[in-house]
Amino acid sequence: MTQVTERGTSLPTPPRAPVRRRSPAAAACVVGGAVAAVLGLGFLAVLVIVLWISSPYPDSGPGGALHLAAGLWLLAHGTDLVRYETLSGVPAPVGLTPLLLVALPALLIRRAARLGSAAQEDRGAEPLPAGVVFSAVLCGYLGVGALAVVYAAAGPMPADPLSAAWHLPAVAALAAAGGVWESRGRPLGQLPGRLTRPRYALALRAGAGGVLVLLGGGALLVGASLAWHGAEVQGSFAALTGVWSGRFAVLLLALALIPNAVVWGAAYALGPGFALGTGAAATPLGFGGSPALPGFPLLAALPGEGPGTPLTWAVGAVPVAAGLAVGWFAVRRPRDVSYGETALTAALGALVCALLTTALTAASAGPLGSRELAAFGPVWWQTGGAALGWTLVLAVPLAVTVHAWRNRPARGLAGEGSGDDWHDSGVREVRWAALRRAAGTLIPDFSSTPSEGDEPSPARVSEGGPEAGARPVPAPPKRPVLVMPGLKLDLTPIPLPALPAEPPAERAVAPVPEALVTAAGAPLPGPPAPLLPPLGGARVLTRRKPPEATYAGPETYAGPETDPGRPARPAPEAAGID
């Protein structure tokens, strides 16, 4: 019995697309963000533990030091801390963030985002999208940040939950976005058409230049004030603590606050100054009120109380320099830019400078306590408004002036000092003639034939005429024509040396071959025939004739080339010679 199994024809199935496994790569980015947060916490924890060990009067155990390190890490992100142990019993907020501490978490999370984007490319795998890398790194970092907020709540200076809820994600998101953007080659993406104009790039450059000038001026003011009040600064160190570990801690805190002091110096030079509590302010016009100043080295370098002096008024040179820098960097080179475009670019640069100054001012200020210490540092809107006013008033006129100077029209073309000589038809012809003369034969002469009277006369003859033996008076030399600033064309003809006449080339005559030898030994009459390949096996002797060869008979040649020991060569047939 035979069993037959029928199988139907199987239909081809479409190939399946390879499944992209992104989970391990995204998990690696999450771990990278968490590691960045742990590294920042670990650095501050080691520093606080070292200071706690070296302190002769520790207030708490190592647990309290670790809680304080977590609080400092949150303070580096701009989170407000709350100090409950006060003399009045009222909780005092601490929101003055040392700007140097902000650099630590920003650099770590930026590095984590950059490494997370480049890890897949190094392995040869498909890179993760920028949004996936950003979200994964941010999730890992914020997860550790949430644990730090919970852990710091049991310490002496816990973090304000509401403040941590938006400060921590904001700093982490900005740093992570910067890292991802840098790892992808800093692309700008698809921007609207108006944002791609050169004026916006110039405005950003001009605004950044103005901010750098302001910060440089603020740093100069801080350094000069510290040097001027050196004795007071040194005395504040001795008054705070008498041990080296305490002085080292104060020095570290002062160094972390140096960027804040630089921003405060810029605000002081702009005019609004900065607040030293709710009842005192320091401005170039004077230092008044009743400041509630704690003992600290940087605060010991403040100007004296009372009205301002010419020395404090001189700080107005800093915003003047910033406004001039904005105007200088807002000018473009091309000639097709109008004055209105230049003025608008300078105004946008002043706006960028004001916005950046406002952001730095808001980040550098904050409360140091309650009541009198609730306002400490410059007011952001006052400083930003002053920066906008200084730079706008000075940048726009300077930019227009520099634009007019760089693009001034060429004067004195062809002996005329008025009119738009650059676009004059005569000047264009002069420029074209000079270009054609310099190019030689590369550019043909398309000009029309000159009429009578247009022939240039190289020399003039005096009134006596050539009959009187008068010497010819040379024509006055033509002065150079100013085509554009820095470029003149000399229209004086250039004498060219006469070239010697070459003799006519002789025609090369091909050498006449020797006369062909006929069967009878006589040369053929007439001109030599062209060299043609022999036909019918005939031999033609055209180059060399054997010396003293004679025809010995129809069968052999006799001559010097005939070897007696060898058979003679057959003679050529007379009929085969053409």
Side-chain angles (χ1 to χ4, degrees):
M1 181 178 181
T2 305
Q3 181 179 1
V4 179
T5 305
E6 296 182 359
R7 297 182 180 179
T9 305
S10 59
L11 298 177
T13 58
R16 296 181 180 180
V19 180
R20 300 178 180 178
R21 298 183 178 274
R22 294 178 177 174
S23 299
C29 292
V30 173
V31 173
V35 169
V38 171
L39 287 177
L41 278 169
F43 175 80
L44 292 178
V46 170
L47 184 61
V48 172
I49 288 295
V50 169
L51 294 177
W52 174 79
I53 293 174
S54 60
S55 175
Y57 310 107
D59 295 336
S60 60
L66 294 177
H67 285 90
L68 182 60
L72 290 177
W73 184 79
L74 294 172
L75 181 65
H77 295 79
T79 303
D80 293 343
L81 304 181
V82 181
R83 185 165 54 93
Y84 289 99
E85 298 178 359
T86 59
L87 297 177
S88 61
V90 178
V94 178
L96 184 60
T97 302
L99 294 182
L100 192 59
L101 284 182
V102 180
L104 176 64
L107 291 177
L108 288 175
I109 191 173
R110 170 181 163 273
R111 179 177 178 272
R114 184 164 50 87
L115 292 179
S117 299
Q120 298 300 314
E121 298 179 1
D122 296 339
R123 298 171 185 171
E126 182 182 359
L128 293 175
V132 175
V133 176
F134 171 79
S135 303
V137 173
L138 192 62
C139 288
Y141 195 88
L142 293 181
V144 178
L147 296 177
V149 172
V150 175
Y151 183 77
M157 296 179 64
D160 185 7
L162 295 179
S163 178
W166 74 274
H167 280 98
L168 189 62
V171 174
L174 289 177
V180 173
W181 180 63
E182 182 181 2
S183 66
R184 299 304 170 96
R186 300 182 178 91
L188 296 179
Q190 297 293 334
L191 297 178
R194 294 185 177 181
L195 294 181
T196 57
R197 295 181 180 178
R199 80 160 70 109
Y200 298 104
L202 286 176
L204 291 176
R205 184 184 68 173
V211 172
L212 290 178
V213 172
L214 285 176
L215 295 179
L220 182 62
L221 293 180
V222 172
S225 182
L226 287 174
W228 186 268
H229 302 86
E232 291 84 351
V233 173
Q234 186 176 2
S236 64
F237 271 101
L240 285 175
T241 179
V243 296
W244 68 269
S245 59
R247 293 181 180 180
F248 182 68
V250 173
L251 178 61
L252 289 179
L253 183 57
L255 291 177
L257 289 171
I258 284 292
N260 299 65
V262 169
V263 177
W264 290 18
Y268 182 84
L270 286 170
F274 48 87
L276 298 173
T278 56
T283 63
L285 300 179
F287 185 7
S290 55
L293 299 179
F296 196 71
L298 293 179
L299 297 178
L302 292 174
E305 298 183 9
T309 61
L311 186 61
T312 60
W313 301 339
V315 300
V318 174
V320 170
L324 296 180
V326 173
W328 179 266
F329 287 114
V331 181
R332 272 190 285 175
R333 295 287 184 183
R335 287 179 170 270
D336 55 352
V337 180
S338 63
Y339 290 97
E341 178 75 12
T342 303
L344 179 59
T345 304
L348 290 176
L351 180 61
V352 171
C353 180
L355 292 177
L356 293 177
T357 305
T358 302
L360 290 175
T361 304
S364 65
L368 279 181
S370 58
R371 298 178 182 177
E372 290 82 3
L373 294 178
F376 213 78
V379 182
W380 61 270
W381 62 270
Q382 294 179 0
T383 306
L388 179 62
W390 279 101
T391 54
L392 187 62
V393 170
L394 295 173
V396 174
L398 179 67
V400 173
T401 304
V402 172
H403 175 76
W405 173 256
R406 289 181 179 177
N407 303 308
R408 62 189 183 278
R411 298 296 180 181
L413 291 176
E416 298 181 1
S418 61
D420 190 5
D421 297 334
W422 175 263
H423 299 285
D424 184 67
S425 60
V427 177
R428 290 201 301 269
E429 293 177 0
V430 169
R431 293 199 302 270
W432 176 252
L435 180 62
R436 185 174 59 247
R437 184 180 61 186
T441 59
L442 297 178
I443 302 179
D445 187 6
F446 296 103
S447 59
S448 59
T449 305
S451 60
E452 297 182 0
D454 295 340
E455 297 292 338
S457 58
R460 295 179 301 172
V461 183
S462 60
E463 295 179 358
E467 295 81 2
R471 299 178 60 185
V473 179
K478 298 181 180 180
R479 62 179 182 177
V481 176
L482 180 64
V483 178
M484 61 183 301
L487 176 61
K488 293 184 179 180
L489 294 179
D490 188 6
L491 301 182
T492 305
I494 301 176
L496 299 177
L499 299 177
E502 297 181 357
E506 298 180 359
R507 294 184 59 184
V509 180
V512 180
E514 297 180 3
L516 301 177
V517 180
T518 60
L524 293 176
L531 298 180
L532 297 175
L535 301 175
R539 267 184 158 180
V540 180
L541 302 178
T542 58
R543 293 297 180 187
R544 249 170 95 175
K545 178 180 179 181
E548 301 178 3
T550 58
Y551 181 65
E555 298 295 335
T556 60
Y557 275 111
E561 296 183 0
T562 306
D563 189 359
R566 298 177 57 184
R569 291 177 296 173
E573 299 178 3
I577 300 176
D578 189 1

